[in-house]
Amino acid sequence: MEKLTFRYAQEQDCEKILFLIRELAKYEKMEDDVIATPELLREWIFEKKKAEVIFPMEDGKEVGYALFFHNFSTFLGRAGMYLEDLFIMPQYRGKGYGKATLKELARIAVQRGCGRLEWSCLDWNKPSIDLYLSLGAEAMDEWTVYRLTGDTLRKMAGELDA
């Protein structure tokens, strides 16, 4: 593995973050779902501080990104970290950068006193699943993710007529 370093994203990185989000969306065949803009990323990541981004860096160049935020476990009585996105550009894969990025996230979580690091993975993404299992991560098969978005979310909030 080349010498890999990490840096936290800064406000001026919003275009770069959005580029990488779009690359991830291409990989996941979800390009049409990306409605984020640099302005939205700036507001929610840097002004409202609702998420953080680190870049794995090879020779001073960003080779991917990880976007994460804190959640809370009532059972553990402490915060955890939720990894929303982990993406390594295709030309940099196979060098151990995904594993190294997960190790860096684990280091951050432990340093911050978090009780867990968790994430979701598309069930067809076998290369990533194999990596996660090789690191000792456990699939939470007994849990199902539910989601409200768009008009359904607004309807639930009482902002739209049923």
Side-chain angles (χ1 to χ4, degrees):
M1 175 171 40
E2 301 288 326
K3 175 70 172 130
L4 191 69
T5 59
F6 296 93
R7 78 168 179 88
Y8 281 90
Q10 303 295 315
E11 194 168 335
Q12 62 268 24
D13 291 317
C14 289
E15 292 280 353
K16 186 176 312 252
I17 296 166
L18 184 56
F19 169 79
L20 290 164
I21 289 170
R22 288 185 175 136
E23 291 298 303
L24 172 62
K26 279 186 211 173
Y27 176 76
E28 292 182 342
K29 301 167 185 61
M30 300 175 75
E31 292 174 83
D32 293 340
D33 292 345
V34 178
I35 61 170
T37 64
E39 294 76 24
L40 281 171
L41 295 175
R42 184 173 293 106
E43 176 185 358
W44 287 92
I45 297 172
F46 299 103
E47 293 171 17
K48 294 183 177 182
K49 300 186 184 310
K50 298 299 182 182
E52 298 175 71
V53 174
I54 60 169
F55 296 115
M57 309 278 293
E58 179 187 275
D59 296 326
K61 177 169 176 41
E62 297 83 1
V63 300
Y65 80 112
L67 185 145
F68 61 97
F69 53 88
H70 289 281
N71 55 17
F72 193 84
S73 168
T74 55
F75 287 12
L76 297 178
R78 67 171 85 183
M81 269 180 37
Y82 187 83
L83 172 60
E84 179 68 25
D85 292 345
L86 171 57
F87 181 73
I88 304 296
M89 294 292 291
Q91 64 268 34
Y92 295 99
R93 293 185 190 147
K95 296 183 169 190
Y97 291 172
K99 180 179 181 178
T101 303
L102 281 168
K103 284 185 168 188
E104 178 67 6
L105 291 165
R107 187 192 66 73
I108 293 167
V110 168
Q111 179 185 44
R112 294 179 182 184
C114 295
R116 62 171 67 142
L117 170 61
E118 55 191 359
W119 60 92
S120 298
C121 182
L122 292 167
D123 58 9
W124 58 259
N125 192 346
K126 185 161 173 31
S128 293
I129 292 168
D130 289 345
L131 169 65
Y132 304 149
L133 293 175
S134 77
L135 297 174
E138 298 176 30
M140 303 297 291
D141 294 330
E142 67 276 12
W143 293 87
T144 302
V145 176
Y146 292 90
R147 179 178 292 165
L148 293 171
T149 61
D151 286 346
T152 307
L153 176 62
R154 286 187 285 285
K155 198 178 296 182
M156 177 66 77
E159 291 188 10
L160 292 178
D161 293 330

